Amino acid sequence: MNLKRTLTATAALAAALQMVSAADIVGKITLKGTPPPEKDIQLDANCGKLHPDGNPKTKFFVTDGKGGLGDVFVYIKDGLTGKTFEVPAEAKVLDQKGCEYSPYVSGVQTKQKLAVHTSDPVLHNVHPTPAVAGNKESNMAQLPKSKDLEYSFENQEILLRFKCDVHPWMFAYVGVVSSPYYSVSEKDGTFKIANVPAGSYTVEAFHRKGGKVTQQVKVESGNATADFTIELKEEAK
Ligand SMILES: [Cu+2]
């Protein structure tokens, strides 16, 4: 028997079995309504030097101009009770570049390492400001070229804010989730929560300014689709 062919067949079978027991939840977030114009960020002199082409703008509504809404945190909110998940060994990275946090919205699993890096030639002061009990607030200066500051959070928190005490415009929002089943939408609104086991779930799409929407999603074999619409309310404008 041809060994290579046997291995290929085995791999295909394994992939097929995987398909039956887990699938992706894919979808698109649509923004209904016109978001307010973004504002110019007023940088200080040192940070201004890092933006020779002009000051960056706020990123309250990241859109593709065709209805797609980015930076929406999407995660399985209910349906995983009683399950525990291995904590990924690799750290998620939050960078400080041009006196902005990057990414602006991201996710990490509870107890997983979050490494805050600096790419900047200026001093930052990293200050997570959790609102959920058990998640630790701290406040650490970070000099240029110094090593990453490492964080981990015990409890789920949507979304946990990081700020910089030197630069009052610097914020990042991190979704801390007790499972690996989360995603952040791209600029065109699309997202994918990968490899979700079969089951019935409540999936929530959370946008910091636009609010949250939930829906029931059933995952069987093949991908499940979950599209969301976030409607702008007056107070968001
Ligand atoms: Cu800073």
Side-chain angles (χ1 to χ4, degrees), residues 216-233:
Q216 296 304 120
V217 179
K218 196 164 188 183
V219 174
E220 295 167 307
S221 55
N223 288 351
T225 303
D227 294 327
F228 293 86
T229 299
I230 288 185
E231 203 175 334
L232 271 189
K233 298 180 182 62

Side-chain angles (χ1 to χ4, degrees), residues 44 47 96 98-101 118 120 122-126 142 163-170:
D44 65 13
C47 292
Q96 297 162 105
C99 297
E100 291 185 286
Y101 278 111
T118 182
D120 280 341
V122 302
L123 169 78
H124 290 298
N125 192 299
V126 182
Q142 192 176 30
K163 63 175 189 158
C164 172
D165 288 345
V166 181
H167 307 116
W169 61 85
M170 274 181 77

Side-chain angles (χ1 to χ4, degrees), residues 47-143:
C47 292
K49 284 180 203 152
L50 306 174
H51 292 272
D53 299 329
N55 287 1
K57 286 183 182 296
T58 53
K59 295 178 179 68
F60 295 152
F61 289 93
V62 173
T63 69
D64 63 356
K66 294 184 286 188
L69 180 62
D71 274 356
V72 179
F73 192 78
V74 191
Y75 70 107
I76 293 184
K77 187 178 184 182
D78 283 312
L80 296 165
T81 311
K83 295 195 172 74
T84 51
F85 302 97
E86 211 172 300
V87 178
E90 74 279 12
K92 296 302 273 299
V93 178
L94 185 55
D95 194 13
Q96 297 162 105
K97 199 170 183 188
C99 297
E100 291 185 286
Y101 278 111
S102 174
Y104 183 53
V105 177
S106 64
V108 71
Q109 216 174 302
T110 46
K111 297 186 171 63
Q112 184 181 6
K113 236 179 243 171
L114 177 69
V116 177
H117 179 75
T118 182
S119 300
D120 280 341
V122 302
L123 169 78
H124 290 298
N125 192 299
V126 182
H127 185 175
T129 62
V132 169
N135 289 341
K136 217 169 138 239
E137 181 170 4
S138 59
N139 199 334
M140 288 284 287
Q142 192 176 30
L143 286 161

